[in-house]
Amino acid sequence: MPTPSVEDPLAGLVGQNNPLPNHHPEVNTVVLWTGCVGSPVMMSVRLINGVPSCDDVSMPKPGTPLPAALIPDCTKPEAHQAAYRSAKTNDAIFVCIARQGQRWQVELDAMAGSGPTIPDQAVAVLQSAIEALVVAGMVTQGNIAPDYISMRAIESEAKAREIAAAFHAALHGLRQLYTAVPSQRRRA
């Protein structure tokens, strides 16, 4: 395997699939290098038929949303428990997708991390986005509370991943904004 350099941490590794020893050929590990120049960090993601396996995916550190391809599939209860435990351990916002019959659901739980509760104004923005997804027919049911979001009956895994990644990024961004900008409520 090529070794990244400080100048180019992605040297020779972008999109590289590395078969795992003693595994089936449809199981691969994609090696990714992330981080700032001078401090590359390696992360590997186990793929089964091109789909990330929840067992090897951990929730990101606080302030780091997951891209759609890395949203864990927590259809099995043990996968859900492992991913939630990982989110709590990493003090991160929990996010996952899960198959429900022929459709998919998205779940986000900000209570897994220790960040501030999402303010009412931000919840209203997220609620508006969920309502737009329902009106467009992409989601048939959406629930939102200051620290929890779920959406059900999403047509495809790809769309569930896209929606989960977007809401995960939004929750991270809104938390950062809420922390950085003084609130009138806090002063009262």
Side-chain angles (χ1 to χ4, degrees), residues 10 20 29 31 103 117-118 127 135 142 144 171:
L10 300 177
L20 294 172
T29 299
V31 178
R103 303 254 175 177
T117 299
I118 306 301
Q127 179 67 41
V135 168
I144 187 166
L171 279 175

Side-chain angles (χ1 to χ4, degrees), residues 5-87:
S5 67
V6 172
E7 294 78 30
D8 185 6
L10 300 177
L13 294 173
V14 176
Q16 179 178 345
N17 286 335
N18 299 300
L20 294 172
N22 304 319
H23 283 80
H24 299 286
E26 68 273 6
V27 178
N28 293 302
T29 299
V30 175
V31 178
L32 306 169
W33 287 88
T34 61
C36 299
V37 174
S39 61
V41 177
M42 188 174 99
M43 171 178 66
S44 66
V45 178
R46 184 171 175 225
L47 301 178
I48 300 176
N49 291 325
V51 178
S53 166
C54 190
D55 296 335
D56 293 340
V57 176
S58 63
M59 293 293 115
K61 297 294 182 200
T64 310
L66 282 174
L70 298 182
I71 301 292
D73 178 351
C74 295
T75 301
K76 295 181 181 177
E78 57 273 10
H80 188 279
Q81 292 167 353
Y84 195 85
R85 206 171 26 252
S86 176

Side-chain angles (χ1 to χ4, degrees), residues 63-140:
T64 310
L66 282 174
L70 298 182
I71 301 292
D73 178 351
C74 295
T75 301
K76 295 181 181 177
E78 57 273 10
H80 188 279
Q81 292 167 353
Y84 195 85
R85 206 171 26 252
S86 176
K88 288 199 71 74
T89 299
N90 290 308
D91 195 27
I93 296 171
F94 171 74
V95 60
C96 76
I97 60 168
R99 190 178 211 31
Q100 286 191 315
Q102 297 299 313
R103 303 254 175 177
W104 290 83
Q105 75 174 20
V106 168
E107 180 182 348
L108 295 105
D109 187 348
M111 293 294 286
S114 63
T117 299
I118 306 301
D120 293 340
Q121 303 89 331
V123 171
V125 169
L126 296 170
Q127 179 67 41
S128 177
I130 291 172
E131 288 170 1
L133 289 169
V134 171
V135 168
M138 298 172 141
V139 171
T140 60

Side-chain angles (χ1 to χ4, degrees), residues 124-172:
V125 169
L126 296 170
Q127 179 67 41
S128 177
I130 291 172
E131 288 170 1
L133 289 169
V134 171
V135 168
M138 298 172 141
V139 171
T140 60
Q141 178 187 359
N143 299 304
I144 187 166
D147 292 310
Y148 183 82
I149 298 171
S150 70
M151 290 168 270
R152 302 195 187 295
I154 301 167
E155 189 170 310
S156 71
E157 178 183 0
K159 185 48 97 176
R161 286 182 182 283
E162 177 186 352
I163 291 168
F167 276 83
H168 197 234
L171 279 175
H172 277 289

